[in-house]
Amino acid sequence: MTSWLSRIFSVARFVRSGNASPSARRPSPLSRVGRQGVAFLAIAVSSARAEDTFFAKRVTPILEQKCVVCHGAEKQKGKLRLDSFAHLMRGGEGGPAVTAGDPKGSELFVRVTLHPEDEDFMPADSKPPLTPDEVKVLELWIAAGASEVIALAAIKGAPALAAPKAAVLPLAPDWRARAPQIAQLEKALGIRLVPRSMVATDGLVLRTASSPGRCDDTTLAKLAPVADLIVEAELARTKITDAGLAVVGTFVNLRVLDLTRTAVTSTGLNDLLALKNLETLNLTATAVDDSGVAALRQMASIKQTWVFETKAGGADNPTAAAKK
Amino acid sequence: MNPHSSDHPLCSDHGGEHPTVLDLPHVPLGLKREWLDLETRRHFLGQGVKALGWAGLATLLGRSAPNLLANSPIPGAPAFLPHYAPKAKRAIYLFMAGSPSQFETWDYKPALADLFDKDLPESVRGGQTLTGMTASQTRFPIAPSIYKFARHGKAGRFISELFPYTAKVSDELCVIKSLHTDAINHEPAILQLTTGNMFPGRPSIGSWLSYGLGAMNEELPTFVVMTSKMPHRTNVQALSNRLWSSGFLSPEHAAVALRSGSDPVLYLNNPKGVESDVRRAMIDGVNDLNRQLFERVGDPEINARISQYEMAFRMQTSVPELTDFSNEPQSTWDLYGPKAKEPGTFAYNCLMARRLAERGVRFTQIFLRSWDQHSNLPKNIKLMAEDSDQPTYALVTDLKRRGLLDDTVVIWGGEFGRTVYSQGTLTPTNYGRDHHPRCFSMWMAGGGVKPGMSYGETDDFSYNIVKDPMHIRDLHATILHLFGLDHSKLSFKFQGLDQKLTGVLPSKVINDLLA
């Protein structure tokens, strides 16, 4: 089967398995990752010999992150590669990219310090520019002789490395494994279960805005197979009651809950105390009062509650209360 | 070449027997692939429809198809998922057409008071091209704001006395004083703000959001536009649907314009004597014919047409409920003021915008025209402010107390700024101001924007930007970012280009504005 045919059949499979369409139309994120992976490998190989050099530790990561997409094995814009020391020194169309000891006379340095709107500014195409710290690192390195082997400690005054970004916390299990179930539930119940983002562990939004009148306590009860995937529940104007909140109390990863204009009362709110991640709760125009809301506001995770058009009060604002 | 003939010669699964596009020399591989994809899709549309069924098509065609294909498992599937979890689910854009002067509103320039009627230094103007309206003036006399400013809110922001109500929500606002644009006349400038391009034919911001993210409520349009009654009329800007068109995107992404009065959507009511089931049967029949046509010619526009029939039918029930304000509590009328009961006023439209937001409409754009004060500015800007100040405040406050402001971004502003010098005669009580694209002020609130913040600075004459310039493209990139979309990736292939709201020139998300 040639490639287009297999592509179509994979689309077909995708649909039948009930997956949402988007990724079928986008270049697969995987292929992008793959490409970056290749670039990364190339660098890893070239610097493996000299683990603790300034070049390997400080310069390479910058070039790899911000330049190698266009100046690497895959693309060589301006005939320049920046994925190894040798390539860098060879330079591009305009000759050597770096003049040792002279940052201002080095094309590589000049390009990253131009005005961002300048045609010659690098990275091109409004890709994320270097931070002032990164520019400083390049400057110090070139000024110190642009050496491949100079030790990390030999160049003083380089800005500290930013703390590595905390890994993205999964908010819910990966929904893709349950795509067929999700599709079935959507169809059967007239609700939507929408991924919050391309990150498959960002969870789902339970969305009822198209026909809130169709969503009631029995609808919620049928969502048990995906209960742990729901991170946001938009239940405003639905027919749910306190009985439904008992089910909502099993949405263990729920963070945002909108109950505006539903028939819930303070009694039902007790079931929400089990939700250890609940941050935002909208109770506008419901029958709740302080007896139910007070306990919720004590929850460690709660950041915002709204009680406009209810009998409940708030500390600094009679209609809305923000904890922080 | 006929893509529907069964012995299609370029069928790409015969690549081994015929030379294919892949064999062409000097053609970049990416282009070849794209061409093949296109060919494949056409071929597929011609032949494969019945085999795969509608669901497959729906996926291939993006959002336009699934919406209407009753048996699709993916109703309203959007073209994209947010690239990252969004802060904003909806936006309400209060478009102050004609362009309110920054001097009397948000960009406080106290030093100008001492420079009344002095000539603007030539060095400030820097040889800028002026409009035909002031180019022939022999003098450029400085006109300080006739309106006073006072500090408001915890942030102590200076706000003009024209906005006593909006001043009360100062701490919710993020005021940007350093916007700049490329156009010096209204039509291109409004187009650039609404569509990212001075030339007509591009999709509006709301259309991009509809295309990128799909609908939250299938019963209502994703993108709604309203124009407001004006408190006075001078130099009124023409508005037309090219400001809210879907451009090259499928027509279902265009805005539905809500009109004031008893017929908010034209021709939505059934003619006398036609019952709803009759109308349903008629639409089913027409859709059936359209589907047959689609099977034959595979033009996505046909699906868009079907979807519009379906949307219109659904709006027959959703719109009367939407426009029935009778269940609004007294607190609403207290907040928005009495004018909110009069359809078509700015106040009414603001209340409608809140109702649309509650129902999950993604993008609502309200136009209020006649801010174009070339002359009689003191008198006329006051009329405009009096008409819009309370409803604007009301909208922000109402969204906040209902818990909607956190995920609804409100945007307020015109299409460019105005000049520091008077257009026409300057007197202590009267002056006018010409167009000025080099700097202007807007504000945003909610939806993940940093509250209480001011961004950017202009020089003492609010003529040039001295700190943190923000182009319209940056505004667009930032708005898309709030919705979880990467502006450089939200694209649509048209005329051989990956078209984007922010175009091809440099544009960036202004991270400082993000909460």
Side-chain angles (χ1 to χ4, degrees):
Chain A
M1 201 184 332
T2 53
S3 67
W4 74 263
L5 209 57
S6 61
R7 257 203 307 280
I8 285 183
F9 279 114
S10 66
V11 165
R13 262 202 304 280
F14 204 66
V15 169
R16 237 176 283 124
S17 71
N19 208 331
S21 68
S23 20
R25 307 186 69 232
R26 266 194 307 269
S28 122
L30 252 179
S31 68
R32 272 196 309 259
V33 171
R35 230 177 291 139
Q36 276 161 11
V38 169
F40 181 79
L41 259 181
I43 285 180
V45 169
S46 74
S47 61
R49 285 170 279 131
E51 273 296 295
D52 284 333
T53 64
F54 191 87
F55 181 73
K57 282 279 186 250
R58 301 304 307 268
V59 178
T60 302
I62 299 173
L63 302 177
E64 181 223 311
Q65 246 186 36
K66 305 238 165 129
C67 316
V68 164
V69 260
C70 300
H71 299 291
E74 186 134 318
K75 291 187 205 163
Q76 298 89 37
K77 299 285 177 160
K79 300 216 167 69
L80 174 68
R81 287 179 68 160
L82 295 173
D83 54 347
S84 76
F85 181 78
H87 281 124
L88 192 159
M89 284 301 162
R90 196 170 308 136
E93 249 158 21
V98 166
T99 312
D102 181 10
K104 297 223 164 62
S106 298
E107 186 69 6
L108 183 138
F109 183 76
V110 170
R111 293 284 189 128
V112 298
T113 47
L114 292 167
H115 190 274
E117 311 231 326
D118 193 305
E119 261 190 69
D120 287 340
F121 180 75
M122 287 294 140
D125 293 354
S126 37
K127 293 278 180 308
L130 300 196
T131 65
D133 279 359
E134 290 171 334
V135 171
K136 186 84 198 158
V137 166
L138 294 184
E139 184 178 9
L140 289 171
W141 176 68
I142 298 172
S147 146
E148 188 184 14
V149 294
I150 190 168
L152 181 58
I155 299 182
K156 302 273 178 256
L161 274 177
K165 263 198 193 147
V168 188
L169 280 182
L171 304 187
D174 190 331
W175 58 268
R176 288 171 300 188
R178 278 177 263 174
Q181 263 162 312
I182 292 169
Q184 267 166 18
L185 288 169
E186 285 194 320
K187 203 170 164 188
L189 303 177
I191 47 106
R192 300 288 319 277
L193 292 161
V194 191
R196 289 178 67 243
S197 80
M198 280 179 74
V199 180
T201 52
D202 263 353
L204 303 178
V205 184
L206 166 57
R207 184 155 282 164
T208 60
S210 291
S211 45
R214 265 188 78 182
C215 178
D216 57 19
D217 298 338
T218 44
T219 315
L220 292 183
K222 290 182 183 141
L223 291 172
V226 293
D228 56 337
L229 299 182
I230 299 172
V231 167
E232 284 185 52
E234 299 174 345
L235 297 172
R237 315 151 75 83
T238 58
K239 297 268 182 284
I240 71 155
T241 70
D242 287 346
L245 289 189
V247 181
V248 174
T250 66
F251 296 177
V252 288
N253 291 313
L254 196 66
R255 282 167 192 257
V256 182
L257 175 59
D258 186 359
L259 295 170
T260 300
R261 242 177 259 292
T262 56
V264 302
T265 72
S266 282
T267 321
L269 294 187
N270 288 327
D271 285 314
L272 303 182
L273 295 172
L275 296 173
K276 295 297 171 233
N277 298 306
L278 189 63
E279 291 175 356
T280 313
L281 175 60
N282 196 336
L283 296 166
T284 302
T286 59
V288 302
D289 57 21
D290 282 326
S291 72
V293 176
L296 275 167
R297 287 196 178 137
Q298 297 305 314
M299 287 171 65
S301 60
I302 281 281
K303 289 182 184 157
Q304 291 270 4
T305 51
W306 285 279
V307 290
F308 181 59
E309 284 184 38
T310 71
K311 293 199 196 72
D316 42 21
N317 177 339
T319 58
K323 198 163 141 195
K324 289 184 190 132
Chain B
M1 136 189 47
N2 175 8
H4 316 300
S5 72
S6 49
D7 53 353
H8 195 283
L10 268 167
C11 200
S12 23
D13 58 348
H14 295 153
E17 291 148 46
H18 298 264
T20 74
V21 65
L22 288 170
D23 302 322
L24 290 174
H26 311 307
V27 178
L29 190 62
L31 260 186
K32 290 180 184 171
R33 289 225 177 92
E34 209 171 280
W35 190 87
L36 269 184
D37 277 351
L38 209 76
E39 201 50 34
T40 304
R41 185 168 124 173
R42 271 198 225 141
H43 169 82
F44 175 62
L45 288 181
Q47 323 241 313
V49 169
K50 286 162 207 133
L52 267 191
W54 291 99
L57 264 179
T59 311
L60 282 186
L61 296 177
R63 197 203 146 183
S64 66
N67 217 354
L68 3 150
L69 305 167
N71 53 352
S72 159
I74 350 163
F80 292 79
L81 284 177
H83 299 106
Y84 20 79
K87 287 280 168 53
K89 290 179 179 171
R90 355 172 170 69
I92 298 172
Y93 193 145
L94 309 175
F95 201 112
M96 302 294 122
S99 291
S101 156
Q102 71 272 33
F103 295 94
E104 280 74 15
T105 57
W106 302 103
D107 202 4
Y108 181 42
K109 293 296 170 194
L112 292 181
D114 297 336
L115 297 175
F116 175 79
D117 204 23
K118 299 270 191 311
D119 289 304
L120 174 66
E122 184 62 38
S123 59
V124 173
R125 216 155 37 89
Q128 189 203 6
T129 312
L130 305 178
T131 72
M133 291 173 283
T134 48
S136 59
Q137 277 187 206
T138 49
R139 287 193 60 220
F140 298 101
I142 289 174
S145 165
I146 198 170
Y147 293 104
K148 297 190 181 56
F149 281 67
R151 288 184 179 278
H152 290 276
K154 286 192 207 117
R157 186 202 309 283
F158 278 104
I159 301 181
S160 148
E161 60 184 331
L162 286 173
F163 297 133
Y165 279 95
T166 309
K168 293 198 251 178
V169 289
S170 172
D171 286 337
E172 301 298 334
L173 312 183
C174 168
V175 176
I176 306 160
K177 295 180 192 159
S178 54
L179 276 150
H180 60 112
T181 181
D182 304 327
I184 199 169
N185 281 316
H186 296 288
E187 174 74 9
I190 296 177
L191 265 169
Q192 192 173 11
L193 235 324
T194 52
T195 72
N197 200 295
M198 276 193 246
F199 298 98
R202 312 296 168 118
S204 193
I205 308 169
S207 308
W208 279 111
L209 289 172
S210 169
Y211 158 73
L213 299 173
M216 290 195 286
N217 182 344
E218 304 280 331
E219 306 295 308
L220 284 172
T222 306
F223 174 19
V224 168
V225 159
M226 292 178 277
T227 51
S228 313
K229 288 184 184 164
M230 289 165 271
H232 84 112
R233 306 173 67 94
T234 10
N235 302 329
V236 173
Q237 288 63 55
L239 299 180
S240 68
N241 61 5
R242 59 174 164 248
L243 301 176
W244 50 85
S245 92
S246 59
F248 41 73
L249 299 175
S250 171
E252 78 209 76
H253 301 301
V256 168
L258 284 190
R259 304 164 72 255
S260 57
S262 58
D263 239 357
V265 181
L266 274 183
Y267 315 119
L268 196 58
N269 292 333
N270 291 331
K272 271 213 173 65
V274 176
E275 296 300 323
S276 182
D277 51 346
V278 175
R279 173 60 65 114
R280 178 72 255 179
M282 184 208 95
I283 292 175
D284 286 345
V286 172
N287 285 354
D288 224 40
L289 291 175
N290 276 330
R291 281 197 188 107
Q292 286 173 26
L293 189 63
F294 179 81
E295 282 196 42
R296 259 187 300 129
V297 303
D299 181 351
E301 293 280 315
I302 299 169
N303 275 335
R305 172 57 62 93
I306 303 177
S307 99
Q308 278 159 334
Y309 276 115
E310 289 293 338
M311 176 52 79
F313 183 76
R314 292 198 299 269
M315 285 199 300
Q316 288 190 320
T317 26
S318 60
V319 166
E321 190 271 340
L322 169 75
T323 54
D324 173 10
F325 288 9
S326 62
N327 60 352
E328 286 293 339
Q330 182 56 36
S331 63
T332 296
W333 309 114
D334 296 343
L335 185 65
Y336 287 81
K339 270 193 183 163
K341 293 202 169 165
E342 189 191 324
T345 60
F346 184 70
Y348 176 96
N349 287 346
C350 283
L351 176 53
M352 181 68 90
R354 188 265 281 160
R355 293 175 63 91
L356 290 165
E358 283 178 308
R359 285 159 182 77
V361 168
R362 263 198 206 283
F363 197 77
T364 301
Q365 196 155 27
I366 302 177
F367 287 91
L368 176 61
R369 296 181 282 171
S370 206
W371 288 95
D372 190 22
Q373 281 106 22
H374 290 277
S375 57
N376 295 321
L377 183 142
K379 171 167 157 266
N380 288 339
I381 199 171
K382 187 152 191 279
L383 292 173
M384 298 302 292
E386 280 169 354
D387 185 66
S388 58
D389 180 34
Q390 184 179 352
T392 303
Y393 147 81
L395 176 62
V396 173
T397 307
D398 205 11
L399 291 172
K400 181 161 171 87
R401 68 189 185 181
R402 291 172 188 281
L404 293 165
L405 191 60
D406 276 12
D407 52 16
T408 306
V409 55
V410 183
I411 305 157
W412 183 101
E415 63 269 29
F416 41 54
R418 307 204 76 93
T419 54
V420 63
Y421 57 80
S422 179
Q423 173 174 354
T425 315
L426 169 70
T427 74
T429 54
N430 199 8
Y431 51 90
R433 297 191 193 276
D434 199 0
H435 307 168
H436 187 66
R438 284 195 189 183
C439 59
F440 65 111
S441 303
M442 288 179 73
W443 58 254
M444 302 206 269
V449 171
K450 202 179 272 177
M453 149 120 196
S454 285
Y455 185 81
E457 274 169 39
T458 56
D459 61 16
D460 289 344
F461 304 92
S462 191
Y463 207 95
N464 296 299
I465 295 167
V466 294
K467 191 175 166 220
D468 295 336
M470 179 165 172
H471 193 271
I472 302 303
R473 286 185 297 275
D474 304 333
L475 175 73
H476 288 156
T478 307
I479 294 173
L480 292 183
H481 178 88
L482 295 171
F483 279 86
L485 293 168
D486 178 338
H487 71 95
S488 66
K489 295 186 187 142
L490 178 67
S491 65
F492 182 85
K493 219 169 257 308
F494 179 67
Q495 290 183 337
L497 290 175
D498 287 324
Q499 306 274 355
K500 297 176 212 138
L501 174 61
T502 48
V504 294
L505 292 169
S507 45
K508 56 189 177 301
V509 174
I510 306 293
N511 287 311
D512 287 351
L513 304 189
L514 308 177

